[in-house]
Each structure stands twice: as C-alpha cells, then as structure tokens.
Amino acid sequence: MRGFPDGFLWGVSTSAFQIEGATREGGRGVSVWDTFCATPGKIHTGENADVACDHYHRYAEDIALMSELGVGGYRFSVAWPRVQPSGSGPVNAEGLGFYDSLVDALCEAGIRPVVTLYHWDTPQDLEDAGGWLSRDTAYRFAEYAAIVGERLADRVEHWIPLNEPVVETLYGYALGEYAPGKALLFDAMPAAHFQNLAHGLAVSALRSVNAKSIGSANNHSPIWPATQSAADLEAAEHLGAVANWMYTDPMLLGRYPEQVIQYLPDDFADDLTAIAAPLDFYGVNYYEPQGCAAPGEGNPLPFELRAIEGYPLTTNGSPVVPDGLREFLGQLRTRYEDKLPPIYITESGCSFDGVHDKERIQYLQDHLAALGQALDEGSDVRGYFVWSLLDNFEWSKGYQPRFGLVHVDYCTLARTPKDSFYWYRDLLGGAR
Ligand code: FCB
C-alpha cells in the first residue's frame, strides 16, 4: 500500500448513543433516541441503547483496546443530554465530568481526543420545543458548545460540531426512519439550514474558548445518474445539491446551491456569514455512492433514488465501492479549489459478521488504496478514522449490523478483537 504522509492521524470513531449505555445514570436527560427506541415498531429488532456497549462504565477497558491497536486519535461524541439534560440552562456536573475523565484517560494513553459535540441525541425537551425545525435550537447548541469547549479545549485539539446533518434531516425529519421520526419530506429542509447555522455558531463559540482545530463530519456520496440522459443528469444534480452541496457550499463558500433555495426558510440569507465561519479541516464520512434517475410518471419529487448494482454488499446492504471515496475527494477539489481546508476521513467502515472478518480487512485495504490514489491526485488528507472501534447500536437497525474492529457480546459485554483489529494494528505499527 502507498505510504501516507508523516503525522497522518490514524484513528477509530464512535458515538455516544451507540456505545455508552447508562442512559438513566449520572443525571443524563432523555434524548430523542431514547424516546424513539421506546416507541413500538421504530427499531426493527425492538432493541434500545439502555446498555449498548456499556462504554460509560467500561471506557478504561476500551481505551486499553485502543492502546493495543496503536491509534493516534479517537473520535467520540459528547451526549448533549448528559451535559445539559434539557438542552439549555444548568450544566450537569457529573455528565461533563465523565467526558473530562475520558479525555484525561485518552491523553494519558497518548491518544488524541477528537470531539464531536452532537451525534443526533438531541435532548427531548428541545425537540418538544421544535427541535431542528426551530432556529432557537441553533442558539442553544452554540451555548452548549461553549460549555464543553471551555472545559475540554485545553486538552482537545480537534473539534467537530455536528455529525452528518444530512442524515438527521433526511432520515429523522424527512422520512421518519430515525429519531425524531418526522416524515415531512421536503418540509424537513429547514432542519438542514438550522443545523448548518448551529455548526457556524458553534465554530465561533469554540473559537472564543480557544479551540485549536475546528472542522466538520458530513456524510458524502458521489451521485451516480442511471444514464447520461439530460433528465437523469439533471435529477442527479438536484440530488447532489440536496445530499452533498447543501452542507459544504454554505460552510465553505457562504452560499447555497441554487436547487435548494426553494426549500429554505425565508430569512436564510441572514445566516450565511455565521455558517461560513472559517474551518481548519473538513471531515468526510464516506460509505457508498448513491444511484439516481429522473422521476418516473406521477413522482412529484425532483429525482428518484436507484440502488447501485454490480458490487458486493455488506450485511447492512451497502454496496462496497472503494473508488467512490477517491471520486468524491476529486469532486471536493474541483468544486472548492483553494477554499477547501485539509480533509480528515472522519468515518469509513462496514458491517460484516464474525471475528474472522476477512471482508472487513479487504474493505479497509481497498478504501485505503483509493485514499492513497486521491492523495496522489492532489487531495490533502490528514487522517482516517475507522467506523467503528466496537460493534454497537446501529440506530433503527438495532444491534444486527456489526461495524466494529472489536466484537461485542451483547449478553456478557465481552470485547473480542477481530482479525481486522490485528490487521489495522499491524498497519499502524508499520506507519509509526
Ligand atoms: C454513519 C453514522 C454512524 C454509523 C455509521 C454506520 O452515517 O454517522 O453513527 O451509524 O453511519
């Protein structure tokens, strides 16, 4: 495999709700995902994340695993309802203290903490007051960002305000498959704008408490039109605007792509300067390309989603397309030129079963080869984070898809490193 630049940050990624458990401990408030899990029929397997991987109690063991793995960085998220149980007002000292201890333990182990402030677990009280459809939530988020920043920025260099606002908007507010379970179709789009605003306000709030390096973690897919017909190409452009550029353009260029302006709140333009607060890095979560075609007869939407065919599938049904990562990084270079900050791949990974997971090894090998090609083509990528350290609660699919380098037995909570764990360890050993 191609060598990666000196100082390249190799890591693993997780999120609070998916691994912590202890949902009723330490003064934590209720999040939209607790509510969603408790609503019959929402989680395919009927499961919840009350225990999850019990990382809240076992974080020392998990850090020991990361030390054995030899990663330089660990991307995790802070649960807003642990820090501010109702999303505004008083701080829950025990909750903030948990992350303080986690950061200390990581620093002691020589692992750089990369903190995501929000990975979809909105405090329920804020959701009840309008959630991401309300401008107010963006201001509450900036206050929360300042609280966490003030406490941790002396030890945490890398900050990511929000994880994948596109997924929350699409699955949480447009289609109702994720919390908070609203099925508003295009009326969900203000949620994207207010999350963009929250991002920008949080960047400024973090700067004011001396956070050093601030970025993002957006989910991105190259869009593949079904054919080269004008209608399919136009549909793909529209989907690209909704799925990718609606997040990157305002952050990096201070404007929205033309196709999405019709979906935004009337006063969106007033927020563009705040959203475009300068970034130190841009985070890409890459899983798969998205197929697309012109809408068929009777379909009122501007595009139709199509499955990508002809590629192997993960157990989660995702096509494995390593070159999509190289392709998308090329699109970023072309679209943003000198406005593009250095990039981190903040998530990349796959669900496969078993501890002898040769498919995951192949997956990582092929994605890193594609990443190496992107570097050769001129992308400035500074780090790569595998999703995920541990098998965990995969949202509405429950515990069925297994994304970890480490297997978790959900009865005993025993952790067992998979073959891919040792493969990654050896790769990192060679990189040191
Ligand atoms: C990403 C999410 C992450 C995990 C992976 C598989 O979209 O950010 O929490 O669910 O997908």
Side-chain angles (χ1 to χ4, degrees):
M1 193 188 303
R2 177 197 194 283
F4 283 82
D6 282 350
F8 192 85
L9 189 58
W10 295 100
V12 283
S13 218
T14 65
S15 90
F17 191 75
Q18 294 178 276
I19 64 167
E20 280 182 5
T23 51
R24 291 181 195 79
E25 284 178 57
R28 178 185 178 280
V30 175
S31 82
V32 292
W33 271 96
D34 299 304
T35 310
F36 196 68
C37 291
T39 311
K42 296 298 184 192
I43 308 303
H44 305 181
T45 52
E47 291 157 325
N48 62 44
D50 287 355
V51 176
C53 306
D54 197 31
H55 171 79
Y56 185 76
H57 297 115
R58 294 168 197 246
Y59 71 89
E61 182 183 346
D62 294 336
I63 292 175
L65 281 164
M66 286 186 260
S67 293
E68 187 184 345
L69 188 55
V71 284
Y74 173 45
R75 173 179 173 235
F76 63 93
S77 80
V78 172
W80 191 351
R82 270 197 204 287
V83 173
Q84 277 184 305
S86 55
S88 60
V91 171
N92 169 38
E94 204 176 335
L96 192 51
F98 168 71
Y99 297 106
D100 198 77
S101 308
L102 178 63
V103 163
D104 273 348
L106 286 164
C107 293
E108 212 162 290
I111 299 168
R112 282 148 85 167
V114 176
V115 171
T116 306
L117 287 171
Y118 175 78
H119 202 122
W120 308 345
D121 41 4
T122 314
Q124 184 63 47
D125 287 353
L126 274 191
E127 181 57 40
D128 295 344
W132 289 114
L133 295 171
S134 160
R135 162 178 294 278
D136 194 54
T137 302
Y139 293 98
R140 299 292 78 75
F141 183 73
E143 289 165 9
Y144 155 70
I147 292 167
V148 181
E150 197 155 330
R151 180 69 171 263
L152 303 180
D154 58 338
R155 286 152 290 157
V156 171
E157 184 180 334
H158 292 89
W159 293 85
I160 294 167
L162 291 95
N163 181 70
E164 300 185 350
V166 63
V167 173
E168 169 118 61
T169 302
L170 191 64
Y171 288 94
Y173 286 89
L175 301 174
E177 290 173 20
Y178 282 8
K182 301 208 188 299
L184 303 171
L185 298 177
F186 278 94
D187 289 342
M189 295 306 249
H193 176 70
F194 292 132
Q195 287 184 83
N196 284 340
L197 177 60
H199 159 86
L201 296 173
V203 172
S204 302
L206 287 167
R207 293 258 179 249
S208 71
V209 296
N210 300 321
K212 288 184 204 71
S213 181
I214 310 174
S216 60
N218 282 329
N219 184 296
H220 286 300
S221 297
I223 308 296
W224 288 3
T227 71
Q228 293 300 307
S229 74
D232 283 350
L233 289 173
E234 191 186 328
E237 281 285 313
H238 200 112
L239 177 59
V242 168
N244 293 314
W245 316 126
M246 170 164 202
Y247 301 90
T248 35
D249 281 7
M251 282 180 197
L252 300 179
L253 304 177
R255 60 170 186 257
Y256 276 106
E258 187 191 302
Q259 291 94 337
V260 306
I261 289 179
Q262 57 183 313
Y263 308 126
L264 298 173
D266 292 342
D267 53 358
F268 78 90
D270 301 344
D271 301 324
L272 290 172
T273 308
I275 297 174
L279 292 183
D280 303 293
F281 67 92
Y282 189 84
V284 172
N285 293 356
Y286 171 71
Y287 289 92
E288 63 204 279
Q290 176 61 56
C292 174
E297 276 285 303
N299 178 351
L301 301 180
F303 48 75
E304 217 161 77
L305 300 183
R306 289 284 169 84
I308 299 277
E309 303 206 333
Y311 291 86
L313 298 178
T314 66
T315 61
N316 207 20
S318 294
V320 177
V321 188
D323 193 57
L325 176 58
R326 185 199 60 79
E327 181 185 343
F328 188 77
L329 292 174
Q331 291 180 7
L332 283 179
R333 286 197 314 273
T334 310
R335 193 173 179 95
Y336 299 108
E337 299 181 327
D338 61 347
K339 299 276 187 309
L340 185 65
I343 290 172
Y344 285 82
I345 306 304
T346 33
E347 285 181 28
S348 166
C350 53
S351 63
F352 285 110
D353 291 339
V355 168
H356 301 299
D357 55 343
K358 58 180 188 319
E359 302 94 333
R360 180 172 289 99
I361 294 175
Q362 190 67 51
Y363 183 101
L364 294 173
Q365 221 158 22
D366 293 347
H367 281 72
L368 288 172
L371 185 59
Q373 281 176 24
L375 289 171
D376 289 340
E377 289 168 8
S379 286
D380 178 8
V381 182
R382 307 272 174 98
Y384 178 87
F385 288 71
V386 175
W387 183 272
S388 182
L389 172 67
L390 303 169
D391 290 340
N392 60 51
F393 181 76
E394 178 51 26
W395 310 112
S396 53
K397 293 195 172 143
Y399 295 98
Q400 235 153 40
R402 288 182 174 271
F403 276 90
L405 295 174
V406 175
H407 178 272
V408 176
D409 177 326
Y410 293 114
C411 295
T412 62
L413 295 169
R415 275 87 162 128
T416 309
K418 303 180 188 178
D419 289 354
S420 58
F421 175 99
Y422 295 111
W423 177 85
Y424 197 43
R425 181 196 63 179
D426 291 348
L427 176 84
L428 270 46
R432 272 201 298 269

